[in-house]
Amino acid sequence: MTEAHGWLCVAGLGPGDARLITPEAGEALAQATDVVGYQPYVARIAARNGLTLHASDNRVELDRARTALAMAASGRRVVIVSSGDPGVFAMAAAVMEALEGAPLWQRLDIRILPGITAMLAAAAKAGAPLGHDFCAINLSDNLKPASLIEARVRAAAGADFAMAFYNPRSASRPDTFGRVLALLREVCGPQRLIIFARAVSTPDERIHTLTLAEATAVMADMRTLVIVGSSATRRVGPFVYTPRSAPCAE
Amino acid sequence: MTEAHGWLCVAGLGPGDARLITPEAGEALAQATDVVGYQPYVARIAARNGLTLHASDNRVELDRARTALAMAASGRRVVIVSSGDPGVFAMAAAVMEALEGAPLWQRLDIRILPGITAMLAAAAKAGAPLGHDFCAINLSDNLKPASLIEARVRAAAGADFAMAFYNPRSASRPDTFGRVLALLREVCGPQRLIIFARAVSTPDERIHTLTLAEATAVMADMRTLVIVGSSATRRVGPFVYTPRSAPCAE
């Protein structure tokens, strides 16, 4: 690799614990000249000579992707950092969007480096609630209509998937998650298990399992990953899991 | 930690590349006295003094879990190894099942260590096909009826999720995947994108994107992870991705 060979990696840093960052992502960071990302994720990268850190605000994903691509095109070795996995509601799709209509950028050396996404870290702490078929749904309605969220939750619950909900609640849209909980109670019944996993693998970690009847919207914030079990999900000792085998079809 | 303190970790080794094993899993393996697992996964662990490797056949997950729990109860430091993430169609749920009716085992020090699951490694190689809401479905009908598989595929496709299919095809049930492909063509139309990702991150890796019209069941085997896009999934340059924003609801 010559100095002039620029590249762009989009790396997932996992949920918080440095021991959940893959060696592959660590290698890319060690070779980088520039790290680009939302400020709290860039703050996780140690400063060193020859490395420039570019921290940006949230909700400027496309600008951030274009900045990084332009730097790679100029010969820099750039890592965009995401939390979790970059392909799950994170920066990989934003980079792909930035390639639209940009044929020169499409020929760059671009690699997506997978990471431990929040739902898998949360599931591991709880036991194995995603041990059978499951869905991942982003409850943020910044980028999609609330009606689509409801349609997907209804379909997933109706087909008895376990479900992982990302970005369940923020101050700017406090009602979405409450409506989802009401819908889930209607379709799944009040005894269905729900897990609130906050700040998994950080010092603030808190894992809380209860029933839909007991759950309220204020139990979640933007650092919470919510998992709702299937009809088969059950407790055993301190754990929650979904058995690998399903009963005969409904 | 005293010699008498036994524990059990269920660790994911990721899809194949050693650089995708988390440092957390590496630490558990370094401290272990015993490694238990399906033979091809145990073969990835380097032998050393003080470590006993216990390789077993496939389809004996519950026996394997009980053997590991009994060793941990006797004071051994045991790691059960899975490929990918242990919580996704792998050994974590089997360990939880083995805890049923075993209150002494429920009090053991048991930890599930997350890993890079196949669908996230495959998605990263393809671009960002799981960049919006998605489902993970195990097509093995060893443990569930084919009718349930079809109902879940129909629900997921109908609600316009992207879909990741694990264990799409084996010699003992060659027809399931063909029926799923036919169902997907019916619900999603022939132009929907499908990705066959085989042996991701190994020397045998092969990523192949085509349309449902072009796809045939023999393109998958048990080392293949299949991703089917949502209606929004598209190509850009050499990549495939699902945009972060959804159009107005159907």
Side-chain angles (χ1 to χ4, degrees):
Chain A
M1 194 180 295
T2 66
E3 283 301 313
H5 177 71
W7 48 253
L8 173 62
C9 286
V10 189
L13 299 181
D17 186 334
R19 297 177 310 148
L20 295 177
I21 300 176
T22 65
E24 182 185 61
E27 281 175 27
L29 288 164
Q31 295 167 4
T33 57
D34 299 85
V35 169
V36 175
Y38 177 40
Q39 191 276 328
Y41 310 144
V42 172
R44 293 176 56 187
I45 308 303
R48 62 171 164 78
N49 281 338
L51 179 67
T52 306
L53 301 176
H54 307 261
S56 59
D57 198 0
N58 208 352
R59 298 206 189 185
V60 291
E61 288 90 351
L62 208 52
D63 289 346
R64 195 187 297 153
R66 289 183 176 129
T67 301
L69 285 160
M71 285 196 291
S74 77
R76 311 284 295 175
R77 300 188 297 276
V78 185
V79 177
I80 297 180
V81 287
S82 272
S83 73
D85 180 281
V88 178
F89 312 129
M91 281 301 295
V95 169
M96 298 293 130
E97 286 169 47
L99 296 179
E100 295 278 2
L104 291 177
W105 283 354
Q106 291 170 16
R107 276 176 240 141
L108 289 171
D109 179 359
I110 299 170
R111 281 163 285 155
I112 315 297
L113 310 184
I116 303 291
T117 186
M119 70 176 164
L120 299 185
K125 288 295 170 89
L130 304 179
H132 207 293
D133 302 334
F134 62 93
C135 297
I137 302 177
N138 189 348
L139 291 187
S140 169
D141 50 12
N142 294 331
L143 293 167
K144 68 181 164 182
S147 59
L148 181 59
I149 294 175
E150 285 196 26
R152 287 185 176 163
V153 172
R154 195 174 285 278
D160 203 19
F161 283 95
M163 291 161 268
F165 297 113
Y166 284 73
N167 304 315
R169 197 154 178 274
S170 73
S172 65
R173 45 185 178 77
D175 299 334
T176 304
F177 185 52
R179 285 198 304 272
V180 167
L181 281 180
L183 194 165
L184 288 168
R185 271 190 290 267
E186 173 200 326
V187 179
C188 306
Q191 293 311 305
R192 183 66 57 91
L193 291 178
I194 181 169
I195 301 165
F196 291 86
R198 185 167 190 279
V200 172
S201 88
T202 78
D204 301 328
E205 174 177 299
R206 184 164 176 276
I207 313 285
H208 188 200
T209 301
L210 58 173
T211 66
L212 281 178
E214 297 162 329
T216 61
V218 294
M219 292 174 178
D221 64 16
M222 286 305 275
R223 295 187 73 192
T224 308
L225 187 290
V226 176
I227 294 176
V228 173
S230 78
S231 64
T233 305
R234 49 187 286 130
R235 293 176 188 266
V236 62
F239 301 108
V240 179
Y241 81 106
T242 305
R244 298 164 301 147
S245 55
C248 281
E250 57 281 357
Chain B
M1 193 180 296
T2 66
E3 281 302 311
H5 177 71
W7 48 253
L8 172 63
C9 285
V10 189
L13 299 181
D17 185 336
R19 298 176 310 147
L20 295 177
I21 300 176
T22 65
E24 181 185 61
E27 281 176 27
L29 288 164
Q31 294 166 6
T33 57
D34 299 85
V35 168
V36 175
Y38 178 40
Q39 191 277 329
Y41 310 143
V42 172
R44 292 175 57 188
I45 308 303
R48 62 171 163 77
N49 282 337
L51 178 67
T52 307
L53 301 176
H54 307 260
S56 59
D57 198 0
N58 207 354
R59 297 207 189 183
V60 292
E61 289 90 351
L62 208 52
D63 290 344
R64 195 186 297 153
R66 289 182 177 131
T67 300
L69 284 160
M71 286 196 290
S74 76
R76 310 286 294 175
R77 301 188 295 277
V78 185
V79 177
I80 296 180
V81 287
S82 273
S83 74
D85 180 281
V88 178
F89 312 127
M91 282 300 296
V95 169
M96 298 292 131
E97 286 170 47
L99 295 179
E100 295 277 3
L104 291 178
W105 283 354
Q106 291 170 17
R107 276 176 239 139
L108 289 171
D109 178 359
I110 300 170
R111 281 163 285 154
I112 314 297
L113 310 184
I116 303 292
T117 187
M119 70 176 165
L120 298 185
K125 287 296 169 87
L130 304 179
H132 207 293
D133 303 334
F134 62 93
C135 297
I137 302 177
N138 189 348
L139 291 188
S140 169
D141 50 13
N142 293 331
L143 293 166
K144 66 181 164 182
S147 58
L148 180 59
I149 293 175
E150 286 196 27
R152 285 184 176 163
V153 172
R154 195 174 285 278
D160 203 19
F161 283 94
M163 289 160 269
F165 297 113
Y166 284 73
N167 304 316
R169 197 152 178 276
S170 73
S172 64
R173 46 185 177 76
D175 299 334
T176 306
F177 185 51
R179 285 199 303 272
V180 166
L181 282 179
L183 193 165
L184 288 168
R185 272 190 290 266
E186 172 201 327
V187 179
C188 306
Q191 294 311 305
R192 183 66 57 90
L193 293 177
I194 181 169
I195 302 164
F196 291 86
R198 185 168 190 278
V200 172
S201 89
T202 78
D204 301 329
E205 175 178 298
R206 183 162 176 277
I207 313 284
H208 189 200
T209 300
L210 59 172
T211 65
L212 282 178
E214 297 162 329
T216 61
V218 294
M219 293 174 178
D221 64 15
M222 287 306 275
R223 295 187 74 191
T224 308
L225 188 289
V226 176
I227 294 176
V228 173
S230 77
S231 65
T233 304
R234 49 186 286 131
R235 293 175 188 267
V236 61
F239 301 108
V240 180
Y241 81 106
T242 305
R244 300 163 300 147
S245 55
C248 282
E250 59 283 355

